[in-house]
């Protein structure tokens, strides 16, 4: 076998050698080796076969003609080659097709490419080519040699090409497909291209071309694909557009400066499948004649000036019921008025996108909107819609975006929304939705944005929401939500925005956010303002490295405002309107915190006898202006308490017990002696109802009970939480009170849990 194979292989090589070894062959070989020499990146060594000892026609990407064995095709698309395109490529004079797409070639297109006079297909898209398109590519010399006169396809898209589209392009009259998409080309499109009568597909999108919509295009009666999206074209379209270009299938004109109306003949283009004219300055009505275009799949007219804010503007919707292939209808950001017609529910069941947002559409969302069973995107925001959100939406199982914000919607959020397991964005804010937040929303396990603020929702926040791992933005602000915030909110590790402001939420801020802190590093905006949150400000916020906004204002928060991390920046943190906060950085202008007082056990309470020991001498020398008791009451002067800290020694203990310790202190600003009750926070339940106890005691008057002036909360030097109550000190009545705590218990009932003054014993 082996003996037989080897000679046959050698003879084959010899055969090939003799057959291919011609001058032309050598020219091609040299041209390709010249090309290879400029390829600087070839990580997979795909061009290693391009060597003298291997037959040319077997080189990677090379195809030769059957008879002459000259290189006719060079297919190097997508091989991840880098470098520049060598001018030697212009010597491949038999080349018919050249594909260099999807590589990393830089530099300019060599003029020599223009020598490839047999070339029909030229693909250079998706590289880093820059400079202009060489005019030499298109300039015919009389003999016909030396230019790309046979070119049918020219693809230079997705490069960095600059300059104008050369007028000489019009010389290549066989051209059928041209793409220069996604370059930096500019200027007007030359009239000369009107000669390209064979043109089937042109893509000028994503450049900076300008001037009027090119009139030369009207000469292309064969055109099927026209894309001028994302340029600076202006002017209006000829009214006979549809008659002149009857073969169009796809027309993309979005994001230009086109004016005028949609040509009345456009719906006469029977093959039209896609029409996109979004983001222009078009006016007039959307013609019901589009209902004739049976093959229509995409109609994108958003962000223009269609309609006249009046009834009749939406008549086209009923007409489009005939377009059974319609998948996407965009008509948002126009001037469409009138009621949303019930016929909207009879649009194609293939409809994926319905965009009628930002118009002046009134009426209600038809009950059977759920008939649009394939909908993935429903945008109805910023209209005048009212009535309920139809329950039938629960049938639209693919719905990913339900955007209805800023309307006048009423009723409850239907729990059937929980059926929408693909839902990613639920934007219902700024309406008048009532009732509870349906717990079924927890089934929407891909929900990234849940924005239901500025409604009339009540009840508590369902814990089911905390199961929605992908949540990035959660906004429930401006409702009447009650209850506490579940610790589980810390499980929403992808949160960037958490807005719960302007509700009636209460209880402590969750501690768990801190537990899951690693997952919450992305949180940027937190708003808990205008609620009834109490307790201290959790330290963890200071470590949220992305935090840009933290609004805790107008709550009942108390204690020390942290000074570390994000709390160093007063443009990030807002805490005003919490009466009982202290500390923080200076800009917050809060009272300094009282420092922790050692809680002394009962055996030291014999010092009670030294009740009258004041701090007065030293502190009075501060000579501060006394304020009214009222002001003191509203504005607890923690600083003064701290100034008086020297007095917080065992010598000033009035009494102590399991609740904590009572000290006597002098407040210079009030010029008065007070009793400070420092709570023993190790006691179960002491912290929990501290603030509510304060609130109720503050206004109690009882013969045996002095008035509670205010409270103080903070963190001591050891990082422990510190709570104190400050009373008017009256040596007579006060002592009476200390001695009869059971009286206090009665008064504070049903708030017995804390029994602030219980257990005090005198020696
Ligand atoms: C030439 O290419 C062939 C085929 O890839 C390869 O086997 C051979 O090693 C190459 N020769 C040289 C000298 O690179
Ligand atoms: C070159 O390609 C031809 C045709 O594909 C094949 O028959 C021949 O074996 C190849 N030669 C080598 C050396 O790979
Ligand atoms: C050219 O190469 C690209 C990238 O690999 C490929 O997608 C495209 O189909 C090729 N074109 C032709 C006509 O072969
Ligand atoms: C093209 O081929 C000619 C003749 O073989 C040679 O003189 C010329 O240098 C080649 N051009 C390039 C750019 O390699
Ligand atoms: C090629 O086009 C340019 C510009 O349209 C023109 O000036 C030139 O005469 C044309 N050449 C030929 C041979 O058609
Ligand atoms: C383009 O069409 C117009 C008529 O609409 C005609 O006058 C003109 O000659 C045509 N131009 C070319 C180059 O075919
Ligand atoms: C686009 O062209 C206009 C002139 O038509 C010019 O003012 C503008 O700077 C260009 N934009 C870019 C991004 O090149
Ligand atoms: C559309 O085509 C029909 C039939 O070809 C014709 O009767 C009608 O006039 C055309 N409409 C316009 C606006 O040209
Ligand atoms: C829709 O189809 C019906 C029945 O085929 C037809 O009577 C009606 O005129 C069509 N509407 C439009 C706008 O084409
Ligand atoms: C929920 O979805 C199922 C299956 O898609 C459907 O049968 C059911 O009617 C839907 N429920 C509601 C309330 O829409
Ligand atoms: C405070 O925060 C703002 C907003 O994030 C930022 O622009 C500013 O640089 C910060 N200032 C300091 C001193 O970090
Ligand atoms: C208790 O003391 C206050 C002043 O501290 C005094 O006004 C009041 O008359 C005293 N009451 C009695 C019963 O002694």
């Amino acid at each position: 076998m082996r003996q037989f194979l080897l000679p046959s292989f050698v003879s084959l090589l010899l055969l090939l050698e003799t057959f291919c070894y011609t001058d032309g062959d050598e020219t091609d070989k040299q041209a390709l080796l010249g090309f290879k020499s400029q390829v600087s990146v070839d990580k997979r060594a795909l061009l290693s076969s391009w060597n003298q000892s291997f037959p040319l026609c077997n080189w990677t990407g090379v195809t030769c003609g059957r008879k002459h064995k000259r290189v006719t095709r060079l297919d190097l698309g997508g091989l991840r080659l880098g470098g520049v395109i060598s001018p030697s490529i212009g010597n491949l004079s038999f080349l018919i097709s050249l594909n260099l797409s999807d590589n990393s070639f830089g530099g300019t297109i060599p003029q020599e490419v223009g020598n490839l006079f047999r070339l029909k297909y030229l693909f250079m898209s998706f590289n880093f080519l820059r400079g202009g398109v060489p005019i030499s590519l298109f300039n015919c010399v009389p003999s016909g040699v030396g230019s790309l006169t046979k070119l049918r396809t020219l693809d230079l898209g997705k490069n960095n090409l600059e300059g104008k589209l050369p007028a000489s392009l019009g010389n290549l009259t066989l051209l059928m497909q041209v793409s220069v998409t996604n370059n930096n080309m500019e200027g007007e499109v030359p009239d000369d291209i009107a000669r390209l009568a064979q043109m089937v597909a042109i893509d000028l999108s994503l450049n900076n071309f300008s001037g009027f919509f090119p009139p030369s295009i009207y000469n292309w009666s064969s055109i099927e694909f026209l894309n001028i999206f994302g340029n600076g074209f202006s002017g209006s379209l000829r009214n006979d557009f549809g008659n002149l270009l009857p073969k169009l299938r796809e027309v993309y004109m979005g994001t230009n400066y086109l004016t005028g109306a949609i040509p009345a003949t456009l719906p006469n283009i029977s093959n039209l499948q896609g029409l996109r004219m979004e983001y222009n300055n078009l006016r007039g009505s959307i013609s019901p004649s589009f209902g004739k275009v049976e093959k229509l799949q995409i109609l994108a007219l958003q962000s223009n000036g269609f309609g006249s804010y009046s009834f009749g503007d939406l008549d086209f919707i009923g007409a489009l019921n005939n377009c059974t292939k319609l998948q996407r209808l965009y008509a948002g950001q126009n001037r469409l008025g009138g009621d949303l017609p019930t016929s909207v529910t009879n649009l194609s069941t293939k409809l994926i996108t319905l965009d009628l947002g930002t118009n002046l559409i009134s009426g209600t969302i038809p009950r059977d909107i759920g008939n649009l069973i394939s909908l993935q995107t429903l945008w109805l925001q910023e209209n005048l819609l009212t009535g309920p959100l139809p329950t039938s939406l629960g049938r639209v199982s693919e719905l990913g975006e339900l955007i209805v914000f800023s309307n006048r919607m009423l009723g409850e959020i239907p729990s059937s929304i929980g059926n929408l397991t693909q839902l990613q964005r639920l934007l219902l804010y700024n309406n008048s939705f009532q009732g509870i937040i349906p717990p079924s929303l927890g089934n929407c396990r891909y929900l990234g944005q849940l924005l239901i603020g500025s409604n009339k929702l009540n009840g508590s926040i369902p814990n089911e929401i905390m199961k929605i791992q992908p949540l990035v933005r959660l906004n429930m602000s401006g409702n009447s939500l009650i209850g506490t915030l579940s610790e589980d909110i810390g499980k929403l590790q992808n949160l960037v925005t958490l807005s719960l402001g302007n509700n009636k939420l209460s209880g402590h801020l969750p501690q768990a956010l801190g537990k899951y802190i690693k997952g919450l590093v992305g949180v940027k905006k937190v708003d808990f303002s205008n609620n009834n949150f109490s307790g201290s400000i959790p330290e963890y916020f200071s470590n949220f490295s992305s935090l840009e906004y933290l609004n805790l204002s107008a709550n009942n928060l108390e204690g020390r405002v942290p000074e570390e991390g994000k709390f160093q920046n007063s443009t990030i943190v807002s805490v005003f309107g919490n009466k009982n906060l202290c500390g923080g950085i200076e800009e917050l202008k809060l009272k300094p915190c009282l420092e922790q007082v050692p809680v002394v056990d009962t055996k030291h309470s014999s010092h009670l006898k030294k009740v009258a020991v004041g701090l007065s001498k030293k502190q009075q020398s501060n000579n501060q202006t006394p304020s009214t008791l009222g002001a003191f009451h509203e504005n607890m002067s923690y600083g003064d308490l701290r100034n008086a800290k020297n007095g917080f020694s065992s010598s000033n203990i009035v009494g102590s017990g399991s609740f904590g310790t009572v000290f006597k202190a002098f407040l210079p600003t009030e010029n008065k002696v007070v009793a400070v009750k420092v709570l023993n926070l190790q006691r179960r339940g002491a912290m929990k109802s501290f603030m509510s106890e304060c609130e109720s005691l503050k206004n109690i008057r009882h013969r045996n009970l002095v008035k509670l002036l205010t409270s103080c909360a903070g963190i001591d030097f050891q990082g422990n939480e510190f709570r104190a109550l400050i009373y008017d000190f009256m040596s007579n009545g006060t002592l009476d009170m200390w001695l009869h705590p059971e009286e206090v218990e009665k008064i504070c009932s049903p708030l017995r849990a804390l029994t602030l003054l219980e257990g005090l014993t005198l020696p």
Side-chain angles (χ1 to χ4, degrees):
M1 273 285 260
R2 186 175 279 182
Q3 279 171 335
F4 186 76
L5 243 181
L6 192 60
S8 77
F9 181 69
V10 170
S11 62
L12 179 71
L13 274 180
L14 286 172
L15 186 73
L16 279 167
E17 290 268 293
T18 44
F19 199 80
C20 295
Y21 225 105
T22 66
D23 282 355
D25 182 11
E26 187 56 26
T27 304
D28 286 358
K29 213 173 224 183
Q30 289 311 321
L32 286 176
L33 289 175
F35 177 88
K36 182 182 173 181
S37 71
Q38 299 297 303
V39 173
S40 54
V41 179
D42 178 13
K43 283 192 181 139
R44 290 178 290 172
L46 293 165
L47 299 189
S48 65
S49 64
W50 290 25
N51 64 55
Q52 288 287 7
S53 54
F54 202 64
L56 169 69
C57 298
N58 291 48
W59 289 7
T60 299
V62 171
T63 305
C64 295
R66 268 190 223 153
K67 291 177 187 161
H68 50 65
K69 296 295 165 197
R70 297 291 299 271
V71 176
T72 55
R73 294 176 60 119
L74 189 54
D75 293 297
L76 301 177
L79 299 189
R80 295 190 223 166
L81 304 175
V84 296
I85 302 172
S86 163
S88 70
I89 202 157
N91 270 353
L92 295 170
S93 48
F94 281 75
L95 207 60
I96 293 170
S97 176
L98 173 59
N99 192 351
L100 302 178
S101 286
D102 195 7
N103 283 293
S104 300
F105 289 110
T108 57
I109 301 173
Q111 292 190 31
E112 286 76 2
V113 171
N115 297 338
L116 302 170
F117 64 94
R118 287 191 174 90
L119 204 63
K120 290 182 180 172
Y121 311 101
L122 176 56
F123 305 95
M124 291 187 172
S125 62
F126 224 146
N127 281 287
F128 300 105
L129 301 170
R130 45 186 175 73
V133 179
I135 294 170
S136 66
L137 261 54
F138 315 119
N139 274 337
C140 309
V141 293
S143 66
V145 181
S147 171
L148 306 179
T149 47
K150 300 209 169 120
L151 204 65
R152 281 156 173 73
T153 301
L154 174 65
D155 184 2
L156 302 175
K158 298 184 192 169
N159 281 291
N160 302 319
L161 298 171
E162 294 157 3
K164 297 184 175 187
L165 203 61
S168 55
L169 189 67
N171 290 337
L172 312 189
T173 53
L174 298 180
L175 267 178
M176 297 171 75
Q177 298 167 308
V178 173
S179 172
V180 292
T181 181
N182 230 315
N183 281 288
N184 303 319
M185 299 183 72
E186 59 185 15
E188 296 184 14
V189 172
D191 289 339
D192 308 60
I193 61 166
R195 294 161 57 205
L196 305 178
Q198 312 291 315
M199 192 66 84
V200 172
I202 184 133
D203 190 349
L204 306 178
S205 63
L206 295 164
N207 279 287
N208 193 20
F209 291 117
S210 55
F212 288 138
F213 176 83
S216 43
I217 289 178
Y218 294 113
N219 287 56
W220 296 343
S221 57
S222 306
I223 190 103
E224 295 175 22
F225 178 94
L226 170 62
N227 192 350
I228 61 167
F229 170 84
N231 282 288
F233 290 115
S234 56
S236 51
L237 302 173
R238 278 169 62 162
N239 206 38
D240 52 359
F241 185 99
N243 296 342
L244 295 172
L245 310 173
K247 293 191 175 168
L248 278 171
R249 282 186 291 112
E250 295 173 65
V251 180
Y252 303 129
M253 301 190 181
T255 314
N256 280 288
Y257 306 111
L258 298 174
T259 53
I262 299 177
T265 56
L266 218 152
N268 263 12
I269 303 175
S270 59
N271 283 331
L272 201 62
Q273 293 172 14
L275 176 62
R276 306 198 68 135
M277 306 181 109
E278 75 278 15
Y279 290 94
N280 279 289
N281 301 319
L282 297 164
R283 298 277 183 274
S285 64
I286 301 177
S287 168
S289 304
F290 279 112
K292 287 190 302 190
V293 190
E294 285 176 22
K295 296 178 182 170
L296 199 62
Q297 292 177 22
I298 299 175
L299 183 59
L301 303 174
Q302 74 270 31
S303 247
N304 280 288
F306 293 120
S308 53
Y309 293 128
S310 57
F311 283 81
D313 286 347
L314 295 174
D315 286 354
F316 71 94
I317 287 183
L320 287 176
N321 287 350
N322 279 5
C323 303
T324 54
K325 294 185 171 150
L326 194 64
Q327 292 183 10
R328 299 182 192 273
L329 175 58
Y330 299 89
Q333 288 175 270
N334 279 295
R335 300 175 178 179
L336 303 172
D339 286 354
L340 185 60
T342 314
S343 59
V344 76
T345 63
N346 292 329
L347 285 167
S348 158
T349 52
K350 296 196 173 83
L351 200 68
I352 293 171
T353 301
L354 177 59
D355 168 20
L356 296 171
T358 317
N359 281 290
L360 211 65
I361 299 173
S362 48
T364 60
I365 303 177
R367 198 190 50 186
D368 291 330
I369 192 80
N371 289 355
L372 301 174
I373 207 77
S374 304
L375 269 190
Q376 293 174 16
T377 307
L378 180 57
W379 292 343
L380 298 171
Q381 77 281 3
E382 296 182 308
N383 279 296
L384 304 174
L385 293 165
T386 185
L389 201 56
T391 307
S392 68
L393 281 167
R395 303 201 326 249
V396 187
S397 58
E398 303 286 306
L399 201 61
E401 303 202 351
L402 179 53
I403 316 277
V404 190
F405 67 84
S406 297
N407 276 286
R408 299 170 178 179
M409 301 295 291
L410 305 169
E412 301 194 352
I413 299 175
S415 66
S416 65
I417 302 283
N419 233 13
L420 305 177
T421 52
Q422 304 299 309
L423 202 62
Q424 293 176 30
R425 299 210 296 158
L426 181 60
L427 276 54
L428 303 179
Y429 59 91
N430 211 5
N431 278 290
S432 294
F433 286 113
Q434 302 157 7
I436 61 160
I437 298 169
S440 62
L441 285 183
N443 297 332
C444 304
R445 58 182 184 275
Y446 297 119
L447 203 57
Q449 297 185 12
L450 177 56
L451 311 184
I452 53 178
S454 299
N455 278 292
K456 297 175 178 170
L457 299 168
N458 54 35
S460 55
I461 299 173
N463 213 38
E464 284 79 358
I465 303 288
M466 313 306 171
K467 290 191 305 195
I468 310 174
Q469 281 291 317
L471 267 183
V472 172
R473 295 179 65 198
L474 178 58
N475 190 333
M476 299 179 168
S477 62
N479 282 293
S480 299
L481 301 173
I482 56 165
T484 58
L485 191 55
S486 162
E487 294 276 324
D488 287 346
I489 196 142
K491 291 181 182 164
L492 299 176
Q493 300 191 16
N494 295 304
L495 270 190
V496 171
T497 302
L498 175 59
S499 298
L500 300 173
N502 287 293
N503 277 293
K504 297 173 180 169
L505 298 166
S506 56
H508 285 189
L509 295 178
Q511 302 301 309
L513 278 172
K515 254 192 242 164
Y516 301 101
I517 194 159
K518 276 188 188 127
L520 273 172
V521 286
V523 82
K524 285 187 177 160
K525 186 181 165 190
V526 176
D527 185 358
F528 290 147
S529 65
N530 284 291
N531 279 289
N532 297 324
F533 285 120
S534 55
S536 59
I537 298 178
E539 290 275 347
Y540 53 72
F541 286 120
S542 59
N543 296 326
F544 287 1
S545 55
S546 305
L547 199 64
E548 290 167 1
Y549 180 85
L550 173 63
N551 193 347
L552 302 173
S553 58
N555 277 291
N556 292 320
L557 297 169
E558 62 195 4
R560 193 179 83 90
V561 175
E563 291 172 20
E564 305 78 33
K566 293 290 171 179
F567 287 94
Q568 290 170 359
N569 190 334
S570 63
T571 58
I572 295 178
V573 180
S574 173
V575 295
F576 72 86
N578 288 278
K579 280 185 203 161
N580 297 312
L581 287 176
C582 66
I585 56 164
E586 227 168 84
E587 289 94 315
L588 296 179
K589 297 194 165 57
L590 295 173
K591 296 147 282 204
C593 294
L594 187 68
E595 290 177 25
Q596 197 203 22
V597 177
V599 173
V600 188
D601 61 34
T602 41
K603 64 184 169 189
H604 292 113
S605 56
S606 56
H607 293 290
L608 186 65
K609 285 164 189 163
K610 299 175 185 172
V611 154
V613 176
L615 312 152
S616 39
K617 264 183 280 165
K618 187 179 175 200
Q619 302 300 338
Q620 273 171 331
S621 67
N622 284 359
N623 205 16
Q624 292 177 0
T625 321
S627 61
T628 66
L629 183 59
F632 168 60
H633 187 104
E634 289 301 317
N635 236 339
M636 171 52 197
S637 184
Y638 296 92
D640 296 336
L641 274 182
R642 192 168 70 165
N643 288 344
K645 71 177 175 184
N646 294 335
F648 281 89
S649 66
S650 53
S651 62
N652 287 325
I653 292 173
V654 178
S656 73
S658 60
F659 70 92
T661 309
V662 181
F663 298 86
K664 186 185 177 199
F666 178 78
L667 284 175
T669 53
E670 304 307 321
N671 197 21
K672 89 197 252 117
V673 177
V674 294
V676 179
K677 182 179 288 292
V678 177
L679 298 183
N680 178 359
L681 296 176
Q682 273 77 56
R683 247 188 87 83
R684 279 184 74 213
M687 269 287 281
K688 205 171 174 195
S689 33
F690 173 68
M691 282 311 292
S692 52
E693 291 296 322
C694 290
E695 281 306 308
S696 37
L697 278 174
K698 208 149 68 178
N699 299 312
I700 284 172
R701 292 220 174 260
H702 184 267
R703 63 184 167 84
N704 286 331
L705 191 58
V706 285
K707 197 178 174 195
L708 177 68
L709 293 174
T710 189
S711 60
C712 168
I715 308 283
D716 70 15
F717 288 146
Q718 282 80 46
N720 301 313
E721 289 204 88
F722 168 74
R723 292 289 185 281
L725 298 165
I726 295 101
Y727 299 85
D728 256 343
F729 186 85
M730 292 187 293
S731 53
N732 51 6
T734 312
L735 284 173
D736 198 1
M737 175 188 72
W738 307 142
L739 290 167
H740 299 285
E742 66 281 355
E743 291 279 356
V744 178
E745 281 201 35
K746 270 184 221 155
I747 294 162
C748 293
S749 180
L751 304 168
R752 291 170 63 94
L754 184 59
T755 59
L756 276 174
L757 307 172
E758 75 179 359
L760 182 78
T761 52
L762 284 171

